[in-house]
């Protein structure tokens, strides 16, 4: 292998795309500089850290041709340890355009050789003003030297800009981790922009007659205003003018000011042999490009007070004086600042901000959407909009958030608890990385771009410039970063909490004690003093927990007040918060997890039942984070309960774990009910599945205590069997084993008794009563029977009411084969051939009449009794069951345990009219809903409509009738019952 081939291979190993060509460039540099060419020089080791080896070597050849001595000194400088050579190689590997500049202006290599440091704004301004010979005239205005007034001065400014870009970029690429200094690089670029505009104004004054007549302030906006400018970016500005002397008219000041502003724009944007700088863009001024280029303070004040749109105030968040009359610029900023910090509470502000962001994304061409680092989903603009929205909403009362810089604002939001530390750190890292990618793309040709390249060399150059190696790696980094940003953006930007806080007027964020008490009373708190004590306990202090609670409290009060009992909700919120306030997830979830805070407030102020669950187990509140609140199915629940039980050694601990799962899932169903996510049939089915899984898992767990446990089947009866359970329902059940072996029966009874005791015991979780009262012989009969015993009993001794009870029997838990065999054996009793006899029908009617007489408590108006009153649950269910027993033998659809399904089957079979079906269906469903609502609101069961107005109002709200609809609850119930009672009279009693 010859020497050239070896060098080519070495250069390819260091990253050259074309090793042979790179070897030729190596030879050329060595020849120009008259240095040894037999192998790679020490400086060429730095090529491995270079973004584009081929481009760097190309540029080095051109610069060596232009300034061989200077390049030789840099490349052979042993005193610096090769640091300067490394800096130059890195710079040339990133920027084609700056390489060309250095070959044309090799004197600017001095900017690479000096130790990198950030220049102050004053140093940069002094250097640029000196480059155009600017001095202050007798009136104190900076004016360029007459010799610089034309093209020469503008070109001098353009070259000075390039010189400083070489210096700043050298510091940038020299950093061990450029993302850590991205903010100081961006700030120095903004300082450079300030100096350029100041110098352009000095050049403009030298060209425009009468410049002494006007005070002109240039106010920086956007990235420049925030001092986070890119290498190549439009510089957004607003121009403010005032007459410089009393004898100068406003019209003259505006005329001259307009000429100066236009001249500045031409100087900054024109292209000449010396290059170009950037566009000076005044489109963010009042009325945009349709409005005058400059305005007076009075004109500005009039516009922003009367006509400005919300987005214009968001843009003014970044405003700062940058050039010209800084005092006048400061007056403008002081004028608009109070308006900026009031925009967050304006009507539709949040909605309009969201719509504006969505519109920006929608306008990106489809072919660019996945490559747009600035405007695309998960890009820089998502971070900026997220932070600005939080600033404008919370900055109304927290002045620490009133900062211009994105990263400084992010830190302030994290310090104030408005965003989690973890999210803030990850957003900070993501924003820095995306800005670095943007900077590296722009440095290549000094062009304004925010798009990932599509070509392999471009992607590879970008990859190596940000610390990875291949096109695939940099694309992966972009996708992962943008996905995280988009998730965080969606969570915060579209949070109902942010929108709700924005609606709270600023005046209500700071209230005197008496005003706060009046406000609480107006919101609907019956005991404002107690509520204020709870608020004080939660919010006073300097801990992060207290800070976050203080942010949440104004909107939590609004949401608590939307429920029927805000006082109880406030107390419950305090209890839950004090129990969970130190947990890592609770407050973060309230602040960040979509609608959780609003859900919690409404649940706590609506449901004593939910509050009781949370009192016993506050961690159950995690359910509120979940988007899908639909009840889980039996098999899914059983899998989890089995897994939980398997983690415990003792049966008691295992069943405690099973009951904890049941408690959590009960809370899920209650919340879904309160939020109107499920109807009464879904509620009944969910509760029934939950009971089935709980009994299954507990039966399996208890059976572990026995060496050879018998097979046990559990038949679900009553509302459990019908999959129509309410929150107050016991689980009616019968227990069956395979044969009559006395030992097996005794063991089965011990197992069933243990299951009932474990599930029915008082504890932190709602107990589950397994009621075996519907078994043969009732409470006098054995708890567990064999299949043969059940068959014998039902063959010889069964009463009509027992046959009626069997209509709702189905497999509940345990051994399905046993329950199926039992149910098959009693099918002839459930749907007797030929229907009911006259004696059986009379017996059912007699029993129904006796129940109504004996079971309605004294003093209770039967019309308010949901179960036993006329047209109530019992009326509908007994009517349906009589139809099933009369016709089930010939109408298969009636062979169901579901009341609602049986009614539909009866209608389809022509056994009832459509009017009767509607009356019975509606009465049954609504009475079931009210029964559930009463328990959910009160925390204890009742079959009687409440007489307490607040409880009845809570029921009305839960039923979707709104505030103050308690009378309608009663009226609607009585009307439905009248219609149902009429149908019952026709179908059951006639």
């Amino acid at each position: 292998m010859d020497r050239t081939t070896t060098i080519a291979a070495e250069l390819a190993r260091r990253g050259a795309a074309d090793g042979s060509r790179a070897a030729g460039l190596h030879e050329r540099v060595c020849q120009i500089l008259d240095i040894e060419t037999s192998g790679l020089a020490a400086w060429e080791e730095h090529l491995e850290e270079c973004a584009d080896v081929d481009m760097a070597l190309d540029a080095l050849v051109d610069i060596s041709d232009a300034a061989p001595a200077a390049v030789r000194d840099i490349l052979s400088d042993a005193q610096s340890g090769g640091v300067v050579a490394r800096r130059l190689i890195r710079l040339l590997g990133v920027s084609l355009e700056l390489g060309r500049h250095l070959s044309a202006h090799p004197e600017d290599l001095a900017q690479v050789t000096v130790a990198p440091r950030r220049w102050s704004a004053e140093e940069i301004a002094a250097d640029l003003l000196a480059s155009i010979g600017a001095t202050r005239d007798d009136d104190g205005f900076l004016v360029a030297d007459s010799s610089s007034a034309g093209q020469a001065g503008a070109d001098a400014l353009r070259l000075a800009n390039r010189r400083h870009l070489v210096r700043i970029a050298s510091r940038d690429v020299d950093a061990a981790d450029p993302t850590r200094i991205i903010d100081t690089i961006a700030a120095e670029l903004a300082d450079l922009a300030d100096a350029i505009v100041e110098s352009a104004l000095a050049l403009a004054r030298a060209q425009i007659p009468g410049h002494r007549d006007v005070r002109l302030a240039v106010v920086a906006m956007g990235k420049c205003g925030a001092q986070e400018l890119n290498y190549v970016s439009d510089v957004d500005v607003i121009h403010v003018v005032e007459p410089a002397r009393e004898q100068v008219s406003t019209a003259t000041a505006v005329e001259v000011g307009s000429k100066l502003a236009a001249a500045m724009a031409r100087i900054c944007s024109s292209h000449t042999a010396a290059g170009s700088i950037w566009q000076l863009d005044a489109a963010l001024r009042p009325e945009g490009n349709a409005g005058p280029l400059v305005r007076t303070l009075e004109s500005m004040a009039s516009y922003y007070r009367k006509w400005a749109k919300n987005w214009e105030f968001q843009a003014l968040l970044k405003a700062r004086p940058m050039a010209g009359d800084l005092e006048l610029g400061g007056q403008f900023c002081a004028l608009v600042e109070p308006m900026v910090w009031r925009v967050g509470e304006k009507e539709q502000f949040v909605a309009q901000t969201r719509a504006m962001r969505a519109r920006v994304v929608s306008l990106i061409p489809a072919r660019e959407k996945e490559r747009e680092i600035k405007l695309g989903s998960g890009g820089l603009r998502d971070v900026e909009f997220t932070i600005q929205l939080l600033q404008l909403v919370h900055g109304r009362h927290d002045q620490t958030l009133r900062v211009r810089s994105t990263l400084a604002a992010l830190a302030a939001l994290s310090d104030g608890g408005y965003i989690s530390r973890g999210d803030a750190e990850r957003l900070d890292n993501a924003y820095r990385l995306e800005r670095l990618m943007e900077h590296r793309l722009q440095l290549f040709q000094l062009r304004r771009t925010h798009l990932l390249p599509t070509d392999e060399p471009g992607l590879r150059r970008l990859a190596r410039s940000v610390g990875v190696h291949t096109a695939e790696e940099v694309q992966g980094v972009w996708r992962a970063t943008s996905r995280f940003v988009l998730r965080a953006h969606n969570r915060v930007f579209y949070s109902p909490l942010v929108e709700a806080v924005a609606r709270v007027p600023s005046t209500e964020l700071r209230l005197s004690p008496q005003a706060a008490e009046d406000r609480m009373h107006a919101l609907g708190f019956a005991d404002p003093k107690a509520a204020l004590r709870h608020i004080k306990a939660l919010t006073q202090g300097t801990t992060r927990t207290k800070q976050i609670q203080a942010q949440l409290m104004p909107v939590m009060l609004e949401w608590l007040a939307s429920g029927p009992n805000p006082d109880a909700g406030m107390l419950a919120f305090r209890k839950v918060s004090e129990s969970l306030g130190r947990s890592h997830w609770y407050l973060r979830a309230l602040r960040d997890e979509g609608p959780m805070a609003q859900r919690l407030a409404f649940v706590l102020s609506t449901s004593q039942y939910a509050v009781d669950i949370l009192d016993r187990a506050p961690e159950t509140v995690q359910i509120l984070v979940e988007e899908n609140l639909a009840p889980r199915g039996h098999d899914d629940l059983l899998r989890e309960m089995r897994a939980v039980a398997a983690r415990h050694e003792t049966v008691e601990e295992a069943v405690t774990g099973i009951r904890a799962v049941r408690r959590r899932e009960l809370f899920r169903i209650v919340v879904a009910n309160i939020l109107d996510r499920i109807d009464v049939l879904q509620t009944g089915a969910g509760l029934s599945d939950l009971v089935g899984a709980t009994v299954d898992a507990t039966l399996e767990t208890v059976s572990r205590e026995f060496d050879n446990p018998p097979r046990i089947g559990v038949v679900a009866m009553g509302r459990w069997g019908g999959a129509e359970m309410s929150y107050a329902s016991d689980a009616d059940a019968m227990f069956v084993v395979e044969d009559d072996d006395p030992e097996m029966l005794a063991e089965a009874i011990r197992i069933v008794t243990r299951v009932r005791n474990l599930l029915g015991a008082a504890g932190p979780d709602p107990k589950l009563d397994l009621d075996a009262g519907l078994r043969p012989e009732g409470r006098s009969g054995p708890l567990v029977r064999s299949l043969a015993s059940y068959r014998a009993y039902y063959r010889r001794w069964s009463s009509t009411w027992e046959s009626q009870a069997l209509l709702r029997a189905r497999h509940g838990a345990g051994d399905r084969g046993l329950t199926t065999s039992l149910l098959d054996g009693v099918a002839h009793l459930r749907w007797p051939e030929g229907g009911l006899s006259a004696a059986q029908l009379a017996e059912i009617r007699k029993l129904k009449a006796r129940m109504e007489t004996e079971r309605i408590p004294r003093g209770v108006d039967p019309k308010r009794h949901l179960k036993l009153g006329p047209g109530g649950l019992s009326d509908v269910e007994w009517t349906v069951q009589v139809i099933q027993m009369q016709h089930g033998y010939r109408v298969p659809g009636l062979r169901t345990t579901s009341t609602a399904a049986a009614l539909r089957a009866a209608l389809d079979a022509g056994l009832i009219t459509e009017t009767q079906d509607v009356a019975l269906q509606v009465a049954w469903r609504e009475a079931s809903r009210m029964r559930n609502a009463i328990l959910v609101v009160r925390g204890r069961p009742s079959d009687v409509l409440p007489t307490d107005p607040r409880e009845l109002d809570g029921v009305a709200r839960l039923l979707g009738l709104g505030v103050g609809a308690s009378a309608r609850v009663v009226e609607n119930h009585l009307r439905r019952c009248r219609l149902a009672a009429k149908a019952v009279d026709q179908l059951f009693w006639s």
Side-chain angles (χ1 to χ4, degrees):
M1 183 179 293
D2 62 26
R3 178 181 59 79
T4 302
T5 302
T6 302
I7 291 174
E10 285 297 312
L11 290 172
R13 188 179 66 80
R14 283 161 175 75
D18 184 341
S20 298
R21 182 174 181 279
L25 295 172
H26 157 86
E27 295 274 355
R28 180 80 178 115
V29 170
C30 292
Q31 290 170 2
I32 293 170
L33 302 182
D34 193 23
I35 56 179
E36 175 60 43
T37 64
S38 58
L40 294 184
W43 61 268
E44 287 174 296
E45 295 298 325
H46 302 307
L47 291 170
E48 199 160 355
E49 306 169 20
C50 174
D52 190 325
V53 172
D54 306 83
M55 186 171 76
L57 289 172
D58 266 326
L60 197 59
V61 168
D62 293 340
I63 298 170
S64 297
D65 264 336
V71 174
R72 187 183 303 110
D73 288 345
I74 290 173
L75 298 185
S76 61
D77 182 13
Q79 187 173 357
S80 72
V83 171
V84 177
R86 181 191 67 193
R87 193 179 305 137
L88 177 61
I89 294 300
R90 287 183 177 181
L91 178 65
L92 299 180
V94 164
S95 181
L96 174 68
E97 192 61 30
L98 289 181
R100 289 172 175 168
H101 173 79
L102 287 173
S103 65
H105 301 276
E107 66 277 9
D108 286 348
L109 283 169
Q111 306 302 318
V112 182
T113 59
V114 297
R117 70 176 179 88
R118 178 181 175 181
W119 282 29
S120 69
E122 292 76 17
E123 288 177 293
I124 298 173
D127 183 65
L128 264 64
L129 290 167
S131 71
I132 60 170
T135 56
R136 295 198 177 274
D137 65 12
D138 294 341
D139 294 310
F141 293 106
L142 279 168
V143 184
D145 183 85
S146 57
S147 62
S148 301
Q151 187 68 44
D155 281 347
L157 183 59
R158 295 178 185 113
L159 292 174
N161 173 54
R162 288 294 174 96
R163 182 175 72 253
H164 280 277
L165 287 180
V166 169
R167 179 184 60 78
I168 294 170
S170 295
R171 179 166 76 91
D172 188 353
V173 300
D174 195 55
D177 182 359
T179 62
R180 293 299 96 194
I181 65 165
I182 197 78
D183 48 342
T184 72
I185 294 294
E188 191 168 8
L189 288 169
D191 291 341
L192 177 58
D194 291 359
I196 289 169
V197 173
E198 190 73 77
S199 301
L201 178 56
L203 289 168
R205 286 186 180 125
Q207 300 170 11
I208 306 298
H211 73 265
R212 292 184 176 86
D213 292 339
V214 62
R215 297 170 61 199
L216 171 64
V218 185
V219 176
M221 302 284 284
K223 279 186 164 56
C224 188
Q227 292 191 290
E228 47 192 24
L229 198 61
N230 300 327
Y231 281 98
V232 185
S233 175
D234 288 355
V235 172
D236 297 310
V237 295
I238 290 177
H239 302 101
V240 188
V241 295
E242 287 292 329
R245 298 179 304 280
E246 287 186 9
Q247 56 268 38
V248 177
S249 69
T250 298
T252 299
V254 168
E255 180 185 358
V256 176
S258 297
K259 292 177 180 178
L260 289 171
M264 281 191 293
R266 285 193 301 274
I267 291 166
C268 292
S269 61
S270 295
H271 291 262
T272 70
S276 179
I277 303 177
W278 24 245
Q279 295 285 331
L280 197 61
D281 190 346
L284 292 178
R285 68 187 185 269
E287 300 181 75
N289 291 329
L293 187 57
V294 303
R295 286 179 184 255
T296 63
L297 271 179
E298 182 180 1
S299 176
M300 291 287 190
S302 176
Y303 176 83
Y304 284 111
R305 286 172 183 154
K306 295 179 181 179
W307 310 111
K309 296 179 174 61
N310 289 344
W311 69 264
E312 293 179 271
F313 292 108
Q314 182 178 350
L316 287 167
L317 181 64
K318 307 293 186 181
R320 70 174 175 86
M322 71 178 300
D325 194 315
L326 298 181
E327 181 183 354
L328 179 58
Q331 289 172 346
F332 169 79
C333 291
L335 167 72
V336 298
E337 183 181 19
M339 304 182 208
V340 169
W341 298 111
R342 287 197 300 269
V343 70
E345 66 191 51
K346 284 194 172 186
E347 187 177 357
Q348 296 298 310
F349 164 71
V350 173
Q352 289 174 3
T353 304
R354 290 170 175 171
M356 180 166 61
R357 176 65 190 124
R359 183 172 180 273
V360 169
V361 173
S362 71
L363 293 175
I364 301 172
R367 65 182 181 278
E368 297 179 0
K369 281 186 184 291
E370 300 301 318
R371 301 190 294 121
E372 210 356 309
I373 295 174
K374 177 182 177 182
L375 301 177
S377 296
L380 291 163
R381 191 55 56 85
D382 273 351
V383 180
E384 292 161 359
F385 263 58
T386 299
I387 291 169
Q388 288 168 26
L389 181 63
L390 290 176
Q391 281 183 278
L392 291 169
V393 169
H394 298 294
R396 294 175 296 156
H397 64 91
D398 187 346
Q399 297 206 8
T400 65
L401 304 181
R402 299 184 180 186
V403 293
R404 300 185 186 94
S405 158
T406 299
L407 292 177
L410 179 58
L413 288 165
S414 175
D415 290 344
Y418 300 97
I419 190 169
S420 72
R421 292 189 182 99
D423 274 354
E425 181 180 358
R426 288 187 290 273
L427 278 173
D428 181 278
N429 291 337
Y431 189 74
R432 289 175 183 275
L433 178 60
E434 291 181 354
R435 286 301 302 274
L436 179 65
M437 294 172 77
E438 183 184 42
H439 280 191
R440 293 299 181 260
L441 289 171
Q442 292 181 350
L443 271 174
F444 174 47
Q445 292 183 309
L446 286 185
R447 289 181 183 171
R448 183 186 176 198
T449 180
H450 320 101
L451 291 174
L452 283 178
T454 55
D455 62 300
E456 182 73 18
L459 284 168
R460 186 165 177 267
R461 181 187 314 111
L462 177 62
R464 288 171 63 94
S465 73
V466 298
V468 292
H469 298 92
T470 66
E472 292 75 17
E473 285 179 301
V474 77
Q475 288 172 317
V477 167
W478 159 244
R479 284 193 295 268
T481 304
S482 61
R483 277 197 300 267
F484 163 73
V485 169
L486 184 60
R487 284 196 303 270
H489 168 75
N490 287 341
R491 188 169 62 248
V492 177
F493 198 66
Y494 295 99
S495 165
L497 180 65
V498 172
E499 190 168 7
V501 172
R503 288 196 297 266
V504 178
S506 298
T507 53
E508 293 182 12
L509 296 172
R510 296 189 193 89
L511 295 175
S512 67
Q514 183 57 52
E517 190 172 326
D518 293 343
R519 173 64 177 153
M520 299 296 285
H521 187 74
L523 283 171
F525 286 84
D527 188 351
K529 286 185 169 62
L532 288 170
R533 286 196 298 272
H534 299 320
I535 293 170
K536 182 177 180 181
L538 288 171
T539 62
Q540 287 200 351
T542 57
T543 66
R544 187 173 182 82
T545 296
K546 302 287 187 181
Q547 288 177 326
I548 296 174
Q549 285 283 16
Q551 299 159 23
L552 292 169
M553 195 54 66
V555 70
M556 287 299 291
L557 292 176
E558 296 275 355
W559 284 335
L560 286 167
S562 69
N565 196 342
D567 296 84
M570 185 71 243
L571 174 60
F573 180 58
R574 177 181 176 181
K575 287 181 178 179
V576 171
S577 294
E578 288 179 342
S579 296
L580 299 176
R582 293 186 179 277
S583 66
H584 70 283
W585 59 267
Y586 171 64
L587 289 174
R588 183 186 67 210
L590 282 181
R591 180 191 57 205
D592 300 339
E593 294 294 341
M596 179 187 169
Q598 186 171 8
R599 287 177 174 179
L600 178 61
F602 189 63
V603 166
L604 294 179
S605 61
T606 298
S607 172
Q608 186 59 45
Y609 185 65
V611 168
D612 290 343
I613 293 176
L614 291 177
D615 275 348
R616 290 190 289 260
E619 68 279 2
T620 309
V621 78
Q622 293 178 82
I623 286 290
L624 294 169
V625 176
E626 298 183 20
E627 182 58 34
N628 182 12
L629 293 171
R632 294 166 63 191
H634 170 277
D635 294 346
D636 187 23
L637 291 165
L638 182 56
R639 275 193 297 272
E640 182 181 2
M641 289 176 174
R642 282 171 172 164
V644 168
R647 292 198 288 268
H648 298 284
E649 293 186 5
T650 69
V651 168
E652 288 79 6
E653 290 173 345
V655 175
T656 298
I658 291 168
R659 288 182 60 170
V661 174
R662 176 173 177 264
R663 176 195 64 220
R664 186 194 66 215
E665 295 307 314
L666 266 177
F667 187 71
R668 180 196 302 279
I669 296 171
V670 173
V671 170
N673 251 170
I674 294 170
L675 300 179
D676 199 26
R677 297 292 186 88
I678 56 176
D679 61 25
V680 69
L681 294 181
Q682 291 170 303
T683 301
L687 291 170
S688 301
D689 279 346
L690 184 54
V691 168
T694 303
V695 176
D696 257 329
T698 306
L699 187 59
E700 291 176 9
T701 301
V702 170
S703 296
R704 292 182 347 207
E705 293 183 316
F706 297 82
D707 293 334
N708 188 25
R711 294 164 55 207
I712 300 173
V714 184
V715 178
M717 304 287 285
R719 284 186 166 270
W720 180 23
E724 296 167 345
M725 293 188 79
S726 70
Y727 295 107
S729 298
D730 290 340
D732 293 312
M734 298 194 304
F735 304 95
V736 58
V737 293
E738 191 166 12
D739 57 44
D740 286 317
D741 179 85
E743 289 187 12
M744 182 180 293
L745 275 169
E747 197 160 274
I749 289 172
R750 287 196 295 273
I751 290 173
V752 169
T753 301
R754 184 108 160 93
V755 168
R756 294 178 73 202
N757 290 340
L758 287 168
L759 291 178
D765 310 303
K767 66 178 183 175
L768 173 59
D769 288 322
L770 287 175
D771 189 342
L774 293 178
R775 68 186 186 270
E777 301 180 78
R779 302 189 189 283
S780 302
L783 182 62
V784 181
R785 287 178 181 260
S786 67
L787 268 175
S789 176
Y790 274 111
R791 288 168 178 161
Y793 176 85
Y794 284 120
R795 186 171 58 251
R796 296 177 184 175
W797 312 109
S798 175
S799 301
T800 303
W801 74 264
E802 290 177 300
S803 298
Q804 184 181 351
L806 286 170
L807 284 170
R808 301 182 106 182
R810 67 174 175 88
H811 172 75
D815 192 294
R816 186 178 290 273
L818 288 173
T819 59
T820 301
S821 295
L822 174 55
L823 293 174
D824 288 344
V826 297
H828 65 286
L829 298 175
R830 304 167 81 184
W831 308 293
E833 186 73 25
L836 291 168
S837 67
Q840 288 174 315
L841 182 57
E843 183 182 343
I844 291 173
R845 288 171 175 169
K846 183 178 178 181
L847 181 59
K848 174 78 169 70
R850 195 178 76 202
M851 282 176 53
E852 292 174 3
T853 303
E854 295 177 356
R855 294 192 181 180
I856 296 179
R858 286 185 181 180
V860 171
D861 181 355
K863 293 179 180 178
R864 296 177 72 97
H865 203 289
L866 298 173
K867 181 177 180 181
L868 300 175
L873 291 167
S874 179
D875 265 6
V876 177
E877 290 167 0
W878 281 57
T879 300
V880 171
Q881 288 160 16
V882 164
I883 293 172
Q884 288 179 283
M885 295 181 78
Q886 285 278 41
H887 304 283
Y889 73 96
R890 65 179 182 84
V891 180
L894 290 173
R895 299 170 200 165
T896 174
T897 62
S898 163
T899 302
L903 273 171
R904 286 195 299 273
L907 176 65
D908 292 341
L911 300 174
I912 60 175
T913 67
E914 196 166 321
T915 300
Q916 290 167 337
D917 174 63
V918 170
L920 296 174
Q921 289 272 18
V922 171
W924 183 85
R925 289 178 189 238
E926 292 305 310
S928 298
R929 285 184 71 205
M930 285 190 284
R931 203 179 186 201
N932 280 338
I934 290 169
L935 182 135
V936 168
V937 170
R938 299 175 65 191
R940 58 187 188 278
S942 175
D943 289 328
V944 181
L945 283 176
T947 54
D948 178 88
R950 175 162 279 194
E951 288 182 352
L952 201 54
D953 184 54
V955 171
R957 295 199 199 191
L958 205 53
L959 295 176
L961 298 177
V963 181
S966 54
R968 286 175 58 199
V969 174
V970 179
E971 292 168 5
N972 290 348
H973 172 66
L974 295 177
R975 185 182 65 256
R976 288 191 296 263
C977 286
R978 282 195 299 271
L979 296 172
K982 182 179 178 181
V984 171
D985 284 341
Q986 295 165 348
L987 298 169
F988 182 83
W989 296 109
S990 298

